[in-house]
Each structure stands twice: as structure tokens, then as C-alpha cells.
Amino acid sequence: RVRKRNDGVLAAVNQQYRLVILGLDGALQASVPSPGNRFMQHPAWMEKDTALVVTLSEPDGKSLFSYHPDSDQWNRLFSADFDDITLPAVKGDTIFFNGTFSGIDNIYCLVLSEGEVYRVTSSRFGAFDPQISADGNTLFYSDYTAGGYNVSSLQLNKTEWKPLDEV
């Protein structure tokens, strides 16, 4: 249950993690308990607002989950075990996210129609914060270098992506 405090802030009751969905006017649309009362981070809407994608902390590591408001269903999409995954960005049936699978943060993606994960960037010091162009052809991200962060872009070409099991 979520209640509104006197200062207007929504507060969880009974120490329950919840996904809170607000309308454009700030009105509460839904308050959904997280699967297993696990900590959720980085919500991102899928296209046409059909579902939300979140990272979820579980006893065996982090996972990507989706929540479908129409059916009130949670689905585990991908388990990263104890590698860190953050900041999902969705385009079509592909979810881009930060991952630490090689020991260096890079941008990875999960292609839902295939159930496969690929490394998209291969930054020397780290790539973060994926965003996809409206046409779905360009990845924008922060590339960490010896001189600091640079805004970078990459034309998305699946033939250049490396399957996760080869990383």
C-alpha cells in the first residue's frame, strides 16, 4: 500500500518495495509490489508503453524484469548473476544497458525476439548511459577516457556485436 504524506510525498507502507506509476499530471496510476519484495532500479518504458523494464536485485545477483500493466504480470528477461547491470534503454524489441561482464563497463543489449545478449561497445575504460536515436540506428553513450567522459555515438550494426558468451 502507498499513502500520501502531508507533504505530498508517496510513502511505502509495511517496508514493501513498489513500482509506482504516475500520470502526466502526477496522479497515482498504479502501485505495484516488486517480485519477492526485491529492490528495483532504473525503470524504462518499452515502446508504446506496453511494459516497464527495471533492474532488480535478487539474492543471486541482478536481473532485468518487465512489468506489464495490462496483465499485472512480472517477467524475468535476463539474469546477469553478480555482474552489475544498470540503466536500460529500450528500442523496439531490444533493451540496451550497462554491463560489467568483461570487467570493464560497456553497453550490452538483450534482443527479446532471440533471447540473446550482445556486447555493443568495446570501450577501453568504460561506456555508460545508453540512449537510442528515434530512428533506432544510432547509440549515444558516455565513453570514459583518460581525459574524462566524452559524448559518443555509434551506428548500430548487429554484425559487429559480440555475443555475451564470447565476451
Side-chain angles (χ1 to χ4, degrees), residues 51-82:
L52 274 153
V53 175
V54 300
T55 59
L56 193 102
S57 297
E58 301 183 278
D60 57 348
K62 278 194 172 178
S63 295
L64 281 175
F65 270 74
S66 65
Y67 172 72
H68 299 263
D70 290 344
S71 62
D72 195 33
Q73 293 289 323
W74 286 98
N75 296 308
R76 179 183 284 116
L77 303 173
F78 171 69
S79 177
D81 298 322
F82 289 105

Side-chain angles (χ1 to χ4, degrees), residues 45-157:
W45 281 104
M46 295 187 80
E47 293 202 2
K48 300 182 183 174
D49 297 343
T50 57
L52 274 153
V53 175
V54 300
T55 59
L56 193 102
S57 297
E58 301 183 278
D60 57 348
K62 278 194 172 178
S63 295
L64 281 175
F65 270 74
S66 65
Y67 172 72
H68 299 263
D70 290 344
S71 62
D72 195 33
Q73 293 289 323
W74 286 98
N75 296 308
R76 179 183 284 116
L77 303 173
F78 171 69
S79 177
D81 298 322
F82 289 105
D83 285 294
D84 194 25
I85 56 173
T86 60
L87 299 168
V90 182
K91 187 64 180 171
D93 81 332
T94 305
I95 302 169
F96 295 84
F97 56 91
N98 291 18
T100 60
F101 303 104
S102 70
I104 298 171
D105 282 271
N106 267 293
I107 308 299
Y108 292 80
C109 69
L110 168 64
V111 180
L112 294 170
S113 60
E114 300 174 7
E116 295 293 330
V117 174
Y118 299 91
R119 185 181 68 196
V120 178
T121 64
S122 184
S123 175
R124 183 173 177 194
F125 297 112
F128 307 87
D129 308 315
Q131 292 298 314
I132 311 303
S133 63
D135 65 8
N137 294 324
T138 307
L139 168 70
F140 298 98
Y141 62 99
S142 296
D143 186 27
Y144 188 69
T145 68
Y149 286 97
N150 292 323
V151 176
S152 295
S153 65
L154 173 71
Q155 291 301 304
L156 291 172
N157 180 353

